[in-house]
Amino acid sequence: MTALTSANGIIALLDEQQPELKVYALQQLNSLVDEFWAEISDSIAKIEILYEDNAFSQRELAALVASKVYYNLGELDDSLTFALGAGKAFDLSEHTEYVETIISKCIDKYINLRTSEDTPEKIDPRLQDIVERMFQRCAEDCEYEQAIGIALESRRLDIIKTIIQKGDSSKLLSYVLDVCMTLVQNLEFRNEVLRLLVDLYKTLDNPDYISISQCLVHLNDASSCASMLKSLVEKKDELMAYQISFDLEENATQEFLSKVAAELPVEQSTEEEKTEGDVEMEEDKPKNDTPYKKIKSILSGEESIRLHLEFLYRNNHTDLLILKNTKNALESRNSIYHSAVTFANAFMQAGTTSDEFLRQNLDWLSRATNWSKFSATAALGVIHKGQLAQSMNLLAPYLPSESNAGNSPYSEGGSLYALGLINANHGAEVLNYLKTALKDTNDDVIQHGACLGLGVAGMATANEAIYDDLKNVLFGDNAVAGEAAGLSMGLIMLGTGNEEAVEEMLQYAHETQHEKIIRGLAIGIPFIMYGKEEQADDLIQKLLEDKDAVLRYGGIYTIAMAYSGTGNNKAIRRLLHIAVSDVNDDVRRAAVTSLGFVLLRNPKQVPRIVQLLAESYNPHVRYGATLALGISCAGTGYLDALELLEPMTKDPVDFVRQGAFMSQAMILIQQTENTNPKVASVRKLYEKIISDKHEDPMAKFGAVLAQGIIDAGGRNVTISLLSKTGHANMPAIVGMAVFTQFWYWYPLTHMLSLAFTPTAVIGLNKNLETPRFEFVSNAKPSLFAYPPAIKPPSATVVEKVATAVLSTTAKAKARAKKIEKEKGDQMDIDEDKHSVKDEETNEDEKKEGRKSPSQKKKKEDNFEILENMARVVPAQLKHIAFKEDSRYTPVKKENVGGIIMLIDNKPDEEEDLIQPRVPAADSTTRAAEEEAAPFEPFEYPFEE
């Protein structure tokens, strides 16, 4: 049969009277349309008339042909309209370009109609039908994830539910949870999906309680959390209940945790039995405690803080020589350098309780004056962070009291701030003391410290009484105290979205004359809107339109806090627009910095986005770009970010270099030379900058801080603004946001300590004790090892070699000149120089050679056996495995890291427990008294 060259003959049949001929013509045209669409398009009107004729039996076929013609003409909207009219004739299972295009057009239109808030348009039932058939096709082809994607975008919860029930439920549930948290932009719909997930997780044969608890935290549903913990305890599955409690403690706010604890059954024995002084008995206690008491103690944060404190104390690898060299290189009379070393020491020793450096350098410490003294005293809070029970004893020599009447208000204010830092985000025990201290003083410095302390310790408690006390200080209109009060009011109301508080703070910001107070309020207001996403849009708009640049600055941070970690496109567009258009440098700097907060979950996008901003003519924008990279890529060792920062360490402007140094340290925290080639050069760079006499103080300040950050917490912490389960880590994000304000006020630098997350694997048995057990890290030990300590310079040897080289070189030169004069050949002189150097290198090689045979012999293992309470850096977690024959196995199967509950496979045998090393209460009190001695004059009694 010859091939057709024209469709005119078939088109002519459309004019016939008999319906059978018209149907035949349409059937033929349907198969030929892709070839002869240009010809058929001239007669498209005839086909449309057939479709509109209700008496015609094959209207759907006519619509299909018309749709295909319009498709080939590129009129996709018309094509879609006729495809909808084609009904069942439009076959979804065909894998042709036409069908695929029309389906995607259908789905896009359907999603738009479902998600548009302003058009209450009724959805065409034919469109609905095509989408429903599409879902069926996906289910039949087992393309479940594709169907879930479309269902999430078109907000069809019913479809999500049916698809999950059809496929591998547990796998699909975790997929939906992940997609929901990262890609679903609308907050209300996201909460509906999470609600559905909670119900579906419960229907599994083995309900995934850990994921359920994650959903409930996002939904802020404390009562469901409490009832789930109750049901687990009733089922005698206490280990899972404890594991969930630890996860909740890591991810939820103080307010949420206290609500959960309040809804748990109260035990017969009095709740207050476990006072702070009873810590010595703690070893015996947990065994006798009932499950609910243990859960409450975990939720209060006591347990995880105790364990992290123990971990940091045991594994402290701080290299004090780095600090010593830095201190010696800087002029201690200069308060900016004094503060810098104070901060670096606080960061390096954060949470380790080791104040060795301060004890060794009491003379240096005593040179601190005024606000340097405030920061130095507050540094104790960072060093002892987490010693909840001992916080009052440790700070007794400095806290305001009658016995310390001679103390400077700066050290008293600093000590109140330190008290807050020790109890950061777990302040139940000290809030009343801080409230009283705030009321009992009229000194603005002490008020400043007390306000900051209350803000950090009472973070997200939404405590009205404290809020009112801070408001009274604010209304006192003192610049110093008012700044801290404004900031702390935001911290207390963190994430509550309290409109009344926002209104009051905004009104006062417009009334006061003090820029410091306006700045405090401009940072406080964003915290109230933390995590509120679209609900904060009106406030953001209001702040960004304000004529006061400081309040516009607040508006930028409101975007950063409300949308932190969401990657929201609208927020990013807005920040980028302001970064290049605002008239005020501070606002532009804040806008670029805030990109780091919004893009927390997608750090790899940040270098691309800030690449051009990093080359801006405006140094403030460049500085913002450095911080954005540091904040979003913290702890990742991401090379693209480091390559962008490298030229900025040589920037002509001092504060841009400062930002670049600090961001490098944030990115390289816990990276080794084996995992990241840039580590060694960056550390050397810091030393060079600090020892360079001609370097700007601002850049030196950045380099000193960077040294503290890169070795923070005895090299056992990372900066992590997301928790291990991928939640936004609220205290860390808030701490980082306040830290960025050190630009205006140095004492706020200490807030970075809230972002330090210990990187340990800590296994616990059912009594919440730490048994000895081993697990395997399937990677070379050197890959994740601690950096080696730097060696003190061996001065004598160096001098000898130096003088020897100089004299021989001189003699050699003279001798060579005499002998070689007539030859006129100068080359040998050079050789002589070489020979001297060669001798040196040979000697060095000999020294190294002595070591090398043993090194050559010992080939490094490809694995490493680690013990309970070992440091495991985030990149190492994927290499961690538990031994097959191990006595203990973790309750959590995935994501092993942090505090894990262990199932004991041999419960009848006696356990070998790791005894705590952190000084217990009585010994610490003694230590505190000893610590106080150097600062107070005393007499030995036996001299009488």
Side-chain angles (χ1 to χ4, degrees):
M1 186 181 163
T2 54
L4 276 180
T5 55
S6 162
N8 279 338
I10 297 169
I11 293 170
L13 291 176
L14 294 173
D15 297 330
E16 295 290 336
Q17 293 300 315
Q18 288 161 302
E20 290 83 5
L21 288 171
K22 291 177 182 172
V23 171
Y24 173 76
L26 285 172
Q27 285 167 345
Q28 294 303 312
L29 289 175
N30 186 30
S31 58
L32 299 171
V33 67
D34 288 339
E35 214 174 325
F36 298 110
W37 57 270
E39 276 182 65
I40 302 170
S41 65
D42 292 337
S43 313
I44 189 80
K46 295 175 187 174
I47 300 173
E48 286 183 29
I49 289 165
L50 287 176
Y51 165 61
E52 283 156 14
D53 178 3
N54 289 330
F56 184 59
S57 62
Q58 293 287 340
R59 290 180 60 213
E60 291 185 342
L61 183 58
L64 181 65
V65 176
S67 171
K68 287 183 178 179
V69 172
Y70 278 122
Y71 165 73
N72 283 300
L73 286 167
E75 297 290 342
L76 292 182
D77 288 333
D78 291 339
S79 176
L80 174 61
T81 309
F82 282 103
L84 293 177
K88 292 276 185 280
F90 180 65
D91 182 7
L92 293 179
S93 56
E94 264 185 49
H95 287 290
T96 62
E97 198 178 321
Y98 159 71
V99 172
E100 302 287 337
T101 309
I102 295 300
I103 288 176
S104 69
K105 192 89 182 128
C106 263
I107 291 168
D108 287 346
K109 185 165 186 183
Y110 183 70
I111 288 170
N112 278 339
L113 291 171
R114 291 275 307 174
T115 53
S116 66
E117 280 135 30
D118 31 47
T119 52
E121 229 178 289
K122 204 161 167 8
I123 292 176
D124 187 331
R126 299 171 306 172
L127 178 67
Q128 181 97 13
D129 180 56
I130 286 190
V131 175
E132 294 288 352
R133 280 156 57 203
M134 181 65 210
F135 284 132
Q136 273 171 7
R137 178 182 142 188
C138 285
E140 283 157 18
D141 298 351
C142 297
E143 294 283 357
Y144 299 123
E145 292 179 0
Q146 205 170 351
I148 285 172
I150 299 168
L152 278 171
E153 283 197 52
S154 58
R155 304 193 183 169
R156 287 288 303 272
L157 288 173
D158 52 332
I159 299 286
I160 295 172
K161 186 173 178 176
T162 46
I163 294 283
I164 288 175
Q165 286 166 343
K166 279 181 184 166
D168 173 358
S169 296
S170 56
K171 195 172 159 193
L172 288 175
L173 280 167
S174 56
Y175 171 74
V176 176
L177 179 60
D178 185 39
V179 171
C180 177
M181 290 321 305
T182 47
L183 300 176
V184 177
Q185 303 270 341
N186 183 290
L187 192 59
E188 283 167 31
F189 176 64
R190 187 188 313 150
N191 288 347
E192 286 172 28
V193 176
L194 291 170
R195 249 304 141 238
L196 173 70
L197 288 178
V198 171
D199 298 338
L200 291 174
Y201 269 124
K202 287 178 182 166
T203 60
L204 295 177
D205 299 336
N206 295 322
D208 183 349
Y209 294 112
I210 289 173
S211 300
I212 296 176
S213 68
Q214 287 181 35
C215 296
L216 293 174
V217 170
H218 283 298
L219 290 165
N220 206 4
D221 183 352
S223 54
S224 301
C225 252
S227 50
M228 180 171 74
L229 290 171
K230 270 186 250 177
S231 72
L232 283 169
V233 174
E234 280 155 19
K235 287 183 199 159
K236 291 281 177 263
D237 192 355
E238 288 105 344
L239 286 176
M240 182 55 85
Y242 299 154
Q243 184 65 65
I244 287 171
S245 304
F246 276 117
D247 289 359
L248 286 176
E249 194 278 322
E250 186 184 13
N251 297 317
T253 63
Q254 282 194 67
E255 187 189 14
F256 182 90
L257 295 171
S258 57
K259 278 183 189 165
V260 174
E263 294 205 16
L264 291 173
V266 178
E267 306 297 336
Q268 285 75 18
S269 55
T270 51
E271 221 27 80
E272 284 75 42
E273 207 171 50
K274 190 175 182 181
T275 55
E276 296 298 343
D278 294 343
V279 183
E280 308 100 294
M281 293 162 66
E282 210 153 71
E283 282 143 55
D284 325 316
K285 282 201 92 164
K287 291 183 186 171
N288 318 330
D289 274 354
T290 55
Y292 291 122
K293 281 185 85 171
K294 288 181 194 164
I295 289 175
K296 284 179 184 174
S297 125
I298 295 170
L299 292 175
S300 71
E302 285 170 29
E303 295 300 326
S304 49
I305 288 174
R306 169 178 72 82
L307 292 163
H308 284 146
L309 189 68
E310 176 67 33
F311 161 71
L312 291 172
Y313 181 79
R314 278 173 173 271
N315 298 316
N316 185 359
H317 276 71
T318 308
D319 193 348
L320 287 178
L321 198 58
I322 296 179
L323 267 177
K324 188 180 167 194
N325 293 345
T326 300
K327 177 188 76 82
N328 295 339
L330 299 173
E331 175 55 64
S332 66
R333 280 194 293 273
N334 186 337
S335 79
I336 181 174
Y337 292 152
H338 197 292
S339 294
V341 177
T342 304
F343 294 135
N345 174 49
F347 290 162
M348 279 190 191
Q349 304 281 18
T352 61
T353 75
S354 161
D355 47 13
E356 195 182 338
F357 178 77
L358 300 177
R359 287 168 184 277
Q360 287 172 3
N361 297 287
L362 291 173
D363 177 41
W364 169 83
L365 194 60
S366 64
R367 287 188 203 145
T369 54
N370 302 345
W371 287 106
S372 297
K373 188 178 251 179
F374 181 92
S375 298
T377 318
L380 290 171
V382 178
I383 292 170
H384 293 287
K385 185 173 185 285
Q387 280 204 306
L388 305 187
Q390 311 306 325
S391 52
M392 298 297 287
N393 294 340
L394 288 166
L395 295 168
Y398 315 100
L399 289 168
S401 69
E402 265 110 58
S403 57
N404 296 341
N407 271 1
S408 137
Y410 290 99
S411 68
E412 290 187 359
S415 67
L416 292 170
Y417 180 21
L419 191 59
L421 287 166
I422 291 179
N423 295 274
N425 203 16
H426 292 93
E429 303 297 326
V430 294
L431 288 176
N432 287 333
Y433 174 82
L434 286 166
K435 252 166 53 179
T436 319
L438 180 61
K439 284 179 187 161
D440 289 352
T441 181
N442 293 320
D443 187 297
D444 54 354
V445 178
I446 299 177
Q447 281 180 333
H448 183 89
C451 287
L452 288 177
L454 277 169
V456 187
M459 198 189 280
T461 51
N463 184 316
E464 290 287 346
I466 297 178
Y467 175 81
D468 291 338
D469 288 345
L470 291 167
K471 193 163 68 180
N472 294 338
V473 174
L474 179 75
F475 291 164
D477 209 46
N478 176 301
V480 173
E483 179 182 29
L487 173 64
S488 296
M489 284 158 77
L491 289 174
I492 294 288
M493 290 291 173
L494 176 59
T496 56
N498 186 321
E499 286 175 20
E500 192 187 328
V502 171
E503 209 44 56
E504 283 179 330
M505 290 164 78
L506 200 52
Q507 191 184 346
Y508 193 74
H510 284 126
E511 288 169 10
T512 182
Q513 297 300 306
H514 293 292
E515 190 187 313
K516 279 175 87 74
I517 293 182
I518 302 174
R519 189 167 304 290
L521 290 165
I523 300 303
I525 292 170
F527 293 141
I528 298 178
M529 283 299 171
Y530 172 85
K532 287 288 175 242
E533 300 184 32
E534 297 92 28
Q535 296 164 22
D537 283 353
D538 296 344
L539 174 66
I540 291 170
Q541 197 56 42
K542 197 168 168 186
L543 288 168
L544 291 180
E545 287 167 357
D546 203 290
K547 60 182 189 295
D548 185 342
V550 182
L551 286 174
R552 291 205 301 282
Y553 180 92
I556 298 289
Y557 269 94
T558 310
I559 297 178
M561 293 297 101
Y563 288 100
S564 64
T566 59
N568 184 293
N569 289 332
K570 191 172 73 177
I572 294 168
R573 268 201 303 275
R574 206 170 204 171
L575 290 171
L576 287 170
H577 173 69
I578 294 165
V580 293
S581 64
D582 200 278
V583 292
N584 182 280
D585 282 340
D586 287 357
V587 178
R588 293 176 68 175
R589 186 181 70 240
V592 188
T593 306
S594 297
L595 288 168
F597 287 106
V598 176
L599 288 164
L600 281 181
R601 290 181 205 276
N602 341 43
K604 296 201 166 170
Q605 288 184 16
V606 180
R608 196 169 46 84
I609 291 177
V610 301
Q611 193 168 11
L612 291 171
L613 296 169
E615 294 166 15
S616 163
Y617 70 91
N618 184 327
H620 290 265
V621 173
R622 297 202 297 274
Y623 177 87
T626 64
L627 281 191
L629 290 165
I631 290 165
S632 57
C633 304
T636 58
Y638 190 41
L639 284 169
D640 288 15
L642 291 167
E643 272 159 23
L644 257 185
L645 286 169
E646 209 161 304
M648 295 163 95
T649 58
K650 304 179 186 74
D651 197 276
V653 179
D654 52 1
F655 61 78
V656 179
R657 296 201 295 278
Q658 178 192 73
F661 295 145
M662 290 189 309
S663 297
Q664 276 181 328
M666 288 182 200
I667 295 170
L668 288 173
I669 188 169
Q670 283 201 336
Q671 297 285 326
T672 63
E673 286 172 39
N674 295 320
T675 56
N676 194 307
K678 297 223 184 301
V679 173
S681 58
V682 166
R683 284 179 183 272
K684 282 209 175 69
L685 175 68
Y686 296 156
E687 285 173 27
K688 178 174 159 282
I689 298 290
I690 290 165
S691 55
D692 183 355
K693 290 275 187 288
H694 306 294
E695 186 57 78
D696 291 292
M698 292 279 270
K700 281 190 180 182
F701 182 85
V704 178
L705 240 55
Q707 278 190 332
I709 293 169
I710 203 168
D711 285 336
R715 297 178 169 166
N716 292 309
V717 299
T718 185
I719 293 179
S720 169
L721 303 193
L722 295 174
S723 69
K724 280 183 285 296
T725 47
H727 284 62
N729 179 350
M730 187 175 72
I733 291 173
V734 171
M736 181 63 87
V738 183
F739 164 73
T740 57
Q741 309 311 315
F742 81 88
W743 176 276
Y744 305 100
W745 193 235
Y746 281 152
L748 297 179
T749 312
H750 286 311
M751 289 284 201
L752 184 63
S753 63
L754 298 184
F756 292 157
T757 313
T759 51
V761 167
I762 303 175
L764 297 182
N765 63 11
K766 63 179 188 300
N767 298 324
L768 306 187
E769 296 160 327
T770 41
R772 281 188 201 284
F773 76 96
E774 293 179 337
F775 54 97
V776 184
S777 163
N778 290 309
K780 291 185 176 179
S782 64
L783 195 60
F784 299 110
Y786 288 101
I790 58 172
K791 294 182 177 67
S794 45
T796 46
V797 182
V798 173
E799 276 166 25
K800 270 185 192 170
V801 174
T803 47
V805 168
L806 289 171
S807 58
T808 45
T809 312
K811 283 176 190 166
K813 268 188 190 173
R815 208 179 300 122
K817 268 183 188 168
K818 268 184 195 169
I819 298 167
E820 304 294 331
K821 221 173 203 178
E822 58 271 17
K823 290 181 188 171
D825 183 11
Q826 245 90 72
M827 287 301 284
D828 289 1
I829 299 171
D830 286 332
E831 272 172 29
D832 236 31
K833 278 187 195 170
H834 284 305
S835 66
V836 175
K837 280 184 186 166
D838 289 346
E839 275 171 34
E840 274 182 73
T841 47
N842 285 350
E843 269 178 41
D844 287 356
E845 275 167 24
K846 275 178 202 163
K847 280 181 195 166
E848 280 169 24
R850 281 175 215 148
K851 290 181 202 165
S852 59
S854 61
Q855 285 169 351
K856 276 177 197 165
K857 268 183 220 165
K858 197 171 181 190
K859 190 166 177 276
E860 194 179 8
D861 293 328
N862 284 333
F863 67 94
E864 178 181 16
I865 304 289
L866 297 171
E867 280 212 329
N868 197 357
M869 286 220 157
R871 172 182 98 146
V872 176
V873 300
Q876 193 177 356
L877 283 173
K878 58 177 181 281
H879 301 289
I880 294 296
F882 278 73
K883 293 179 172 178
E884 297 283 314
D885 56 348
S886 176
R887 174 175 173 176
Y888 298 98
T889 48
V891 170
K892 275 206 281 195
K893 295 294 169 273
E894 291 89 45
N895 202 327
V896 175
I899 298 174
I900 44 179
M901 298 307 299
L902 301 170
I903 301 167
D904 186 353
N905 298 323
K906 302 174 186 169
D908 306 331
E909 294 178 20
E910 197 179 330
E911 293 184 287
D912 181 9
L913 300 175
I914 298 177
Q915 295 309 322
R917 283 192 206 162
V918 175
D922 54 344
S923 59
T924 318
T925 350
R926 256 181 265 129
E929 282 158 18
E930 283 166 24
E931 185 173 41
F935 301 99
E936 294 181 343
F938 62 97
E939 291 177 1
Y940 286 109
F942 48 76
E943 279 186 1
E944 295 164 15

